[in-house]
């Protein structure tokens, strides 16, 4: 490893001058700055961030841990967080729990070892045990796409109860009276809230809860959606519409219908959730409940930055719950008359 002393020796300057070139280039003459920089480039010197953190007492790294980086929704969340962090001179370490509580626990342990600035977290562990274990490290965190239940952390989420209601209210308004809910893992709060909203919409229309048939899946991806679509086709009393907990599930259901020769929306309507870019580009453009994912990521990062400012007193930080509003985007997958 090339160290700062090696750079100083080859450039014929002091270690302090090299440090100034790296951290405060404006205080170094242009000639010296160019000479030191050329040595840095030639030797391939990279400064030790861990050593810098020990001296400064605070990391420049913010961690982001989400359920599935293969889901474009979380990619947009990451884009928003990265943008806000970059504006503050920080960088984001992006990690994927894969919806696995054990993977989540390992990443949280890694963040504690690295003493990151803070964590943006979409929890995979429905029990909350991983979060409770992480609290003892006194590293600030903000929940993303989940409402904080206590007053000890901030959160940024979307009103998923309203989102579920928007989706099913639209289906009821277009004539559907038998709806399947492809829900994903039942332990996730988002899945529960969207189901609650769906049931509320049915009740508003004077329809029984039995008008919604829930089909849980182990994952929130296209493959799980295809499997769920096959289950929908195998029901003795086939529903006329399907509401999916995210767009990847909805795209999988759409594939299953297409493969079986079932018309969408002529034979069965489909509504997704998230409004990812692929929703509008599907072979049958997908009606979806839009979440402001980029805004969600940016706001979560900003809340974490407020809490971790060098002159901030953690004991006096006002933890906030920010709840954003969803929007129904109607496309052809749900527009056939009944």
């Amino acid at each position: 490893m090339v160290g700062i002393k090696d750079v100083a020796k080859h450039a014929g300057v002091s270690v302090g001058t090299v440090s100034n070139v790296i951290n405060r280039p404006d205080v170094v003459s242009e000639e010296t700055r160019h000479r030191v920089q050329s040595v840095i480039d030639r030797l391939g010197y990279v400064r030790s961030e861990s050593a810098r953190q020990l001296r400064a007492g605070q990391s420049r790294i913010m961690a982001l841990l989400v359920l599935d980086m293969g889901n474009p929704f979380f990619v947009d969340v990451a884009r928003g967080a990265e943008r806000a962090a970059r504006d503050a001179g920080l960088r984001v370490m992006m990690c994927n729990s894969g919806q696995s509580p054990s993977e989540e626990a390992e990443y949280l342990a890694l963040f504690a070892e690295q003493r990151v600035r803070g964590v943006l977290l979409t929890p995979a562990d429905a029990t909350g045990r991983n979060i409770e274990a992480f609290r003892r490290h006194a590293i600030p965190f903000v929940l993303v796409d989940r409402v904080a239940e206590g007053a000890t952390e901030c959160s940024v989420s979307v009103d998923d109860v309203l989102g579920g209601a928007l989706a099913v209210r639209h289906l009821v308004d277009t004539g559907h009276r038998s709806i399947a809910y492809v829900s994903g893992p039942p332990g996730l709060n988002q899945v529960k809230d969207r189901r609650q909203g769906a049931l509320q919409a049915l009740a508003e229309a004077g329809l029984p809860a039995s008008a919604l048939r829930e089909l849980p899946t182990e994952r929130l991806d296209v493959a799980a959606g295809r499997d769920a679509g096959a289950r929908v086709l195998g029901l003795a009393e086939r529903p006329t519409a399907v509401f999916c907990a995210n767009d990847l599930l909805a795209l999988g259901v759409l594939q299953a219908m297409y493969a079986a020769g079932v018309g969408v929306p002529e034979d069965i309507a489909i509504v997704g959730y998230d409004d990812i870019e692929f929703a509008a580009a599907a072979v049958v453009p997908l009606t979806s409940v839009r979440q402001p994912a980029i805004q969600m990521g940016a706001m979560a990062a900003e809340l974490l930055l407020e809490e971790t400012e060098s002159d901030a007193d953690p004991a006096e930080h006002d933890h906030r719950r920010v709840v954003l509003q969803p929007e129904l985007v109607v496309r052809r997958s749900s527009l056939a008359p009944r």
Side-chain angles (χ1 to χ4, degrees), residues 68-290:
D68 181 11
M69 283 302 292
N71 185 338
F73 165 74
F74 287 114
V75 174
D76 283 345
V77 169
R79 286 170 58 197
E82 195 276 336
R83 190 175 301 166
R86 186 177 64 244
D87 289 345
L90 305 182
R91 292 295 180 263
V92 177
M93 178 195 304
M94 301 177 189
C95 301
N96 176 34
S97 71
Q99 303 172 38
S100 166
S102 61
E103 288 285 327
E104 176 181 83
E106 290 181 9
Y107 273 120
L108 290 174
L110 174 65
F111 299 156
E113 290 174 5
Q114 297 296 318
R115 303 303 301 175
V116 296
R117 174 78 162 258
V119 178
L120 307 178
L121 171 65
T122 303
D125 178 19
T127 69
R129 285 193 290 264
N130 286 342
I131 290 177
E132 288 305 312
F134 187 66
R135 289 186 199 278
R136 68 175 183 266
H137 300 293
I139 296 175
F141 63 93
V142 174
L143 298 181
V144 182
D145 197 29
R146 161 120 173 239
V147 179
E149 297 177 358
T152 56
E153 62 271 338
C154 294
S155 66
V156 182
S157 62
V158 166
D159 188 342
D160 281 319
V161 175
L162 174 58
L166 289 174
V168 171
R169 192 177 295 140
H170 166 68
L171 291 172
V172 170
D173 288 346
T174 51
H176 297 281
R177 298 294 180 267
S178 177
I179 302 168
Y181 175 40
V182 178
S183 62
L188 292 178
N189 284 6
Q190 298 91 327
V191 165
K192 296 176 184 177
D193 288 348
R194 292 166 196 177
R195 179 179 184 274
Q196 180 184 340
L199 292 174
Q200 285 184 6
L202 292 176
E204 290 169 3
L207 296 172
S210 59
L212 187 75
R213 179 155 184 180
E214 185 170 1
L215 299 176
T217 63
E218 292 185 359
R219 301 187 64 79
L220 289 161
D221 55 23
V222 174
R226 284 195 298 267
D227 291 342
R231 289 158 62 193
V232 169
L233 293 171
L235 293 175
E237 297 183 9
R238 185 184 297 176
T240 61
V242 181
F243 167 43
C244 299
N246 78 358
D247 284 341
L248 296 183
L249 289 172
L251 291 171
V253 171
L254 178 61
Q255 289 180 6
M257 298 301 141
Y258 183 81
V262 175
V264 177
E266 296 80 14
D267 300 317
I268 195 163
I270 301 175
V271 175
Y273 205 104
D274 291 339
D275 196 33
I276 62 176
E277 184 177 356
F278 299 133
V283 61
V284 179
L286 186 66
T287 295
S288 185
V289 177
R290 176 178 294 165

